Amino acid sequence: MRRPILVLICAARVLAQSGQTPAFEAVSVKPFVEGTPIQYSGCDGGPGSDNPGQIHCQYVTLRMLLMRAYQVKNQEIFGPGWLDTAHFEILAKLPAGAIKEQVGGMFRGLLAERFHVEVHREARPLSVYSLTVAKSGLKLKESSPRPAVDEPGTPGPPSVGKDGFPVLRPSILAAGPIVLYRGGRARLLGNKVKLARLAETLTSQLDHIVIDETGLDRPYDITLTWTPDSTEPGGHSRPALAEAGSDPGDVTLFQAMEQQLGLRLASAKAQRDVIVVDRAERVPVEN
């Protein structure tokens, strides 16, 4: 019974290795109607998900699609300002047996065909943050080698702690890092997190790429609490820390990293390969 599926998967791998990039079988691309209720912003489905034959992208920008197509970070894309302001909804059907490694190529084909996207790569010096161990020393707890196991009878929504943040189960923490927001505060949680993965999560929080330069490759259990400012997701305008009160948790992400984890974020310069958009149409080709 499993042989046809295996054959399809093997055929997809052969196609990928041959240099031929498969395309989506069918694609619907529509400008997102502003004012329409937004369930989420991003893409779900595809190989490895519960819906492997279809990808649905809602309220996505062309920058978000370029990130997925070329496997680059937000800060590594340069192009017109509308890359961040025009939003789209995409429904794409994948060919049978498609694998994760082929999805980027499918998105590149979609961008070329429907948005007439043309890009080139070049190296540019970018402002980044270097992640190192602080002078005060590392304060992280190394993870237990035992697998994460939930206590019996713990299905359903998590409980809420005294500080308003949910108490997440070990199986959820093991899939982290996860960033939560409550009452103007942010908390990053995760078990068995390597610092290279933490740097990726911090990159999504900040306006700079974070590069792990700690030289540490062990997994750690991480809890980090801070007050995001207006430049961060979940942030807001707030007074200077000196006027913000005596709450010990009212610290910036940079201060929290050093005080709670023994890690330091410092400004630096790094040469990075970037994507430069030479051409892109704001209005996609009709379905």
Side-chain angles (χ1 to χ4, degrees), residues 139-162:
K139 301 176 183 178
L140 286 169
K141 175 186 175 183
E142 201 165 330
S143 299
S144 167
R146 296 190 298 273
V149 178
D150 295 337
E151 294 182 6
T154 58
S159 59
V160 178
K162 294 180 179 180

Side-chain angles (χ1 to χ4, degrees), residues 20 89 186 237:
Q20 295 178 299
E89 182 169 12
S237 298

Side-chain angles (χ1 to χ4, degrees), residues 63-284:
R63 182 182 297 274
M64 294 167 69
L65 296 174
L66 287 163
M67 290 169 62
R68 191 175 180 101
Y70 291 95
Q71 296 298 296
V72 293
K73 303 183 188 305
N74 168 40
Q75 298 88 344
E76 295 171 327
I77 298 173
F78 293 84
W82 64 264
L83 292 183
D84 300 300
T85 58
H87 295 90
F88 306 93
E89 182 169 12
I90 296 174
L91 189 63
K93 180 182 179 183
L94 286 79
I99 58 176
K100 285 183 178 181
E101 290 77 8
Q102 296 171 320
V103 173
M106 294 183 195
F107 271 98
R108 290 194 294 273
L110 181 154
L111 290 172
E113 180 181 348
R114 306 298 289 274
F115 292 89
H116 297 157
V117 167
E118 296 177 7
V119 305
H120 73 271
R121 291 181 181 269
E122 63 180 60
R124 289 190 181 185
L126 299 183
S127 296
V128 301
Y129 289 127
S130 170
L131 179 67
T132 59
V133 177
K135 291 182 179 179
S136 58
L138 194 66
K139 301 176 183 178
L140 286 169
K141 175 186 175 183
E142 201 165 330
S143 299
S144 167
R146 296 190 298 273
V149 178
D150 295 337
E151 294 182 6
T154 58
S159 59
V160 178
K162 294 180 179 180
D163 56 5
F165 283 95
V167 180
L168 302 181
R169 298 190 296 272
S171 60
I172 297 176
L173 292 173
I178 298 171
V179 181
L180 305 170
Y181 303 97
R182 293 291 185 279
R185 303 276 293 284
R187 177 165 294 169
L188 185 151
L189 297 165
N191 288 352
K192 302 183 184 300
V193 177
K194 292 192 175 184
L195 296 187
R197 179 70 182 89
L198 174 63
E200 292 180 4
T201 302
L202 293 173
T203 295
S204 67
Q205 289 292 129
L206 301 167
D207 58 350
H208 288 36
I209 294 170
V210 178
I211 300 175
D212 174 28
E213 295 185 335
T214 62
L216 302 174
D217 192 42
R218 294 185 289 275
Y220 299 96
D221 294 344
I222 296 176
T223 299
L224 179 70
T225 304
W226 75 98
T227 303
D229 63 29
S230 58
T231 65
E232 300 174 47
H236 56 89
S237 298
R238 62 188 177 94
L241 287 175
E243 304 171 0
S246 59
D247 185 346
D250 195 6
V251 293
T252 68
L253 175 57
F254 295 83
Q255 292 170 319
M257 288 285 293
E258 190 156 351
Q259 294 173 11
Q260 300 171 29
L261 306 184
L263 295 171
R264 182 171 182 263
L265 288 171
S267 297
K269 287 284 187 180
Q271 197 80 356
R272 306 282 295 190
D273 289 330
V274 303
I275 293 290
V276 179
V277 179
D278 300 309
R279 179 191 177 191
E281 301 292 339
R282 183 167 184 156
V283 179

